[in-house]
Amino acid sequence: MGTHTDAHIVWDWNGTLFHDVDAVVAATNAAFAELGLAPLTLERYRELYCVPVPAFYERLMGRLPSRAEWELMDAAFHRHYTEHRVRCGLADGVEDLLTGWASAGRSQSILSMHGHEDLVPLVETFGISSYFLRVDGRTGPSGGSKAEHMVRHLGALRDTVDPRRTVVIGDAADDALAARHAGARAVLYTGGSHGRARLEAVGVPVVDTLSEAVAEAERLAASG
């Protein structure tokens, strides 16, 4: 199969397609409570959150967590997140956006730092798996950057997807940095883990809705 000549979107999952920011903040605060740290509001979370995640904790603790502290908080976060996410669903309009992009003959995939073994069945529960060429989650330890995962993800799609016509849509600065690392473009969405000011500092288009993100992705891919 030759290289795909049309646009491709790599979607982030958490905070982008899957509207789970409230569950993330609740799970983060539960993890903080295990070390006696004060809870965060959503606004404060968006102001401080960064990857690698231990650096986020350093901003709150004034020092990097020890290995034992990191393991405790990471385990607590994932335990509480699993409890809270059952009340979460897809972001508004996601199914229509996926359908419209696919109907135009364009391709899409998911790359998430959510654990792969958990991500794949979660995506399947929403009945949207057929829209994606690949659904890839994190393999290996949590808390790191997406950059090398993005390189592997696009490498696995190299026979059908051109990175120069690929746009990553995500909710965190790391999504844009990962896209740049892999030779793709990015659009950042304010509905997830970062506020607008943090996202705009990255130097890529920033939008408030996923429909705007898709329109911007089409424009960027056409200029690639």
Side-chain angles (χ1 to χ4, degrees), residues 9 18 58 64 74 76 81 85-86 92 101 103 111 129 150 155 159-160 190 211:
I9 289 176
F18 189 50
E58 182 181 20
L64 278 171
D74 189 49
Y81 174 78
R85 82 173 187 202
V86 297
D92 290 343
W101 189 261
S103 296
L111 175 63
S129 296
M150 186 68 71
D159 291 337
T160 53
T190 62
S211 60

Short mmCIF file of all heavy atoms in Angstrom, two decimals, residues 9 18 58 64 74 76 81 85-86 92 101 103 111 129 150 155 159-160 190 211:
data_model
loop_
_atom_site.label_atom_id
_atom_site.label_comp_id
_atom_site.label_asym_id
_atom_site.label_seq_id
_atom_site.Cartn_x
_atom_site.Cartn_y
_atom_site.Cartn_z
N ILE A 9 -5.41 12.39 11.43
CA ILE A 9 -5.43 12.92 12.79
C ILE A 9 -4.99 11.82 13.75
O ILE A 9 -5.48 10.69 13.68
CB ILE A 9 -6.84 13.39 13.22
CG1 ILE A 9 -7.23 14.67 12.47
CG2 ILE A 9 -6.89 13.65 14.73
CD1 ILE A 9 -8.65 15.14 12.77
N PHE A 18 -12.01 11.59 25.33
CA PHE A 18 -12.65 11.13 26.56
C PHE A 18 -12.63 12.27 27.57
O PHE A 18 -11.56 12.68 28.02
CB PHE A 18 -11.91 9.91 27.10
CG PHE A 18 -12.58 9.20 28.24
CD1 PHE A 18 -13.91 8.84 28.17
CD2 PHE A 18 -11.86 8.85 29.37
CE1 PHE A 18 -14.53 8.16 29.21
CE2 PHE A 18 -12.46 8.18 30.43
CZ PHE A 18 -13.80 7.83 30.34
N GLU A 58 6.69 17.77 41.99
CA GLU A 58 7.74 18.63 42.52
C GLU A 58 7.24 20.07 42.68
O GLU A 58 7.59 20.76 43.65
CB GLU A 58 8.96 18.60 41.61
CG GLU A 58 10.12 19.45 42.12
CD GLU A 58 11.32 19.42 41.18
OE1 GLU A 58 11.14 19.07 40.00
OE2 GLU A 58 12.43 19.73 41.65
N LEU A 64 11.38 16.86 44.31
CA LEU A 64 10.93 15.66 43.63
C LEU A 64 10.50 14.61 44.66
O LEU A 64 11.15 14.47 45.70
CB LEU A 64 12.05 15.08 42.76
CG LEU A 64 12.26 15.70 41.39
CD1 LEU A 64 13.54 15.18 40.76
CD2 LEU A 64 11.06 15.43 40.49
N ASP A 74 1.33 7.19 42.48
CA ASP A 74 0.95 6.67 41.17
C ASP A 74 -0.08 5.56 41.31
O ASP A 74 -1.09 5.53 40.60
CB ASP A 74 2.20 6.17 40.45
CG ASP A 74 1.92 5.82 39.00
OD1 ASP A 74 1.31 6.64 38.29
OD2 ASP A 74 2.33 4.72 38.56
N ALA A 76 -2.09 5.11 43.89
CA ALA A 76 -3.33 5.71 44.40
C ALA A 76 -4.09 6.41 43.29
O ALA A 76 -5.33 6.30 43.20
CB ALA A 76 -3.01 6.68 45.54
N TYR A 81 -8.70 6.79 39.97
CA TYR A 81 -9.16 7.17 38.63
C TYR A 81 -10.12 6.11 38.08
O TYR A 81 -11.16 6.44 37.49
CB TYR A 81 -7.98 7.36 37.68
CG TYR A 81 -8.42 7.60 36.26
CD1 TYR A 81 -8.88 8.84 35.86
CD2 TYR A 81 -8.39 6.56 35.31
CE1 TYR A 81 -9.31 9.06 34.56
CE2 TYR A 81 -8.82 6.77 34.02
CZ TYR A 81 -9.28 8.03 33.65
OH TYR A 81 -9.72 8.23 32.37
N ARG A 85 -13.79 7.26 36.75
CA ARG A 85 -13.99 7.38 35.31
C ARG A 85 -15.30 6.76 34.83
O ARG A 85 -15.75 7.06 33.71
CB ARG A 85 -12.82 6.77 34.55
CG ARG A 85 -12.91 5.26 34.40
CD ARG A 85 -11.83 4.72 33.50
NE ARG A 85 -12.06 3.31 33.26
CZ ARG A 85 -11.12 2.46 32.88
NH1 ARG A 85 -9.88 2.90 32.70
NH2 ARG A 85 -11.42 1.20 32.66
N VAL A 86 -15.93 5.93 35.65
CA VAL A 86 -17.17 5.30 35.21
C VAL A 86 -18.27 6.33 34.98
O VAL A 86 -19.26 6.05 34.29
CB VAL A 86 -17.65 4.23 36.23
CG1 VAL A 86 -16.64 3.10 36.33
CG2 VAL A 86 -17.90 4.85 37.60
N ASP A 92 -18.35 16.24 23.96
CA ASP A 92 -19.50 16.60 23.13
C ASP A 92 -19.14 16.58 21.64
O ASP A 92 -18.13 17.15 21.22
CB ASP A 92 -19.99 18.01 23.49
CG ASP A 92 -20.64 18.08 24.85
OD1 ASP A 92 -21.01 17.01 25.38
OD2 ASP A 92 -20.79 19.20 25.38
N TRP A 101 -14.97 13.10 9.57
CA TRP A 101 -13.58 12.98 9.09
C TRP A 101 -13.41 11.72 8.25
O TRP A 101 -12.80 11.74 7.18
CB TRP A 101 -12.64 12.97 10.29
CG TRP A 101 -11.18 13.07 9.94
CD1 TRP A 101 -10.29 12.04 9.86
CD2 TRP A 101 -10.44 14.25 9.63
NE1 TRP A 101 -9.04 12.50 9.53
CE2 TRP A 101 -9.10 13.86 9.38
CE3 TRP A 101 -10.77 15.60 9.55
CZ2 TRP A 101 -8.10 14.77 9.05
CZ3 TRP A 101 -9.78 16.52 9.22
CH2 TRP A 101 -8.47 16.10 8.97
N SER A 103 -15.81 10.05 6.69
CA SER A 103 -16.64 10.13 5.48
C SER A 103 -15.96 10.92 4.38
O SER A 103 -16.23 10.72 3.20
CB SER A 103 -17.99 10.77 5.81
OG SER A 103 -18.72 9.96 6.71
N LEU A 111 -3.49 7.78 20.04
CA LEU A 111 -2.30 7.50 20.84
C LEU A 111 -2.50 8.14 22.20
O LEU A 111 -2.71 9.35 22.30
CB LEU A 111 -1.03 8.05 20.19
CG LEU A 111 0.22 7.87 21.06
CD1 LEU A 111 0.54 6.40 21.30
CD2 LEU A 111 1.42 8.58 20.45
N SER A 129 -14.26 2.12 17.81
CA SER A 129 -12.96 1.56 17.42
C SER A 129 -12.78 1.48 15.91
O SER A 129 -11.66 1.62 15.40
CB SER A 129 -12.79 0.16 18.03
OG SER A 129 -12.76 0.22 19.43
N MET A 150 4.97 8.51 20.22
CA MET A 150 4.46 9.07 18.96
C MET A 150 5.30 8.60 17.78
O MET A 150 4.76 8.27 16.71
CB MET A 150 4.47 10.60 19.04
CG MET A 150 3.82 11.28 17.84
SD MET A 150 2.03 11.01 17.73
CE MET A 150 1.47 12.01 19.12
N GLY A 155 5.42 5.40 13.12
CA GLY A 155 6.23 4.41 12.41
C GLY A 155 5.41 3.19 12.02
O GLY A 155 5.59 2.62 10.94
N ASP A 159 3.18 3.03 6.23
CA ASP A 159 2.75 2.62 4.89
C ASP A 159 1.48 3.32 4.44
O ASP A 159 1.14 3.27 3.25
CB ASP A 159 2.53 1.10 4.85
CG ASP A 159 3.84 0.33 4.96
OD1 ASP A 159 4.89 0.91 4.63
OD2 ASP A 159 3.80 -0.84 5.38
N THR A 160 0.77 3.95 5.36
CA THR A 160 -0.51 4.58 5.00
C THR A 160 -0.62 6.05 5.41
O THR A 160 -1.53 6.73 4.96
CB THR A 160 -1.69 3.82 5.66
OG1 THR A 160 -1.45 3.71 7.06
CG2 THR A 160 -1.85 2.44 5.06
N THR A 190 -8.52 23.24 24.82
CA THR A 190 -8.53 23.75 26.19
C THR A 190 -9.46 23.00 27.14
O THR A 190 -9.58 23.37 28.30
CB THR A 190 -8.95 25.24 26.21
OG1 THR A 190 -10.29 25.35 25.68
CG2 THR A 190 -8.00 26.09 25.39
N SER A 211 -14.58 20.62 17.48
CA SER A 211 -14.95 20.93 16.10
C SER A 211 -13.99 21.95 15.51
O SER A 211 -13.58 21.84 14.34
CB SER A 211 -16.39 21.43 16.01
OG SER A 211 -16.58 22.60 16.77
#
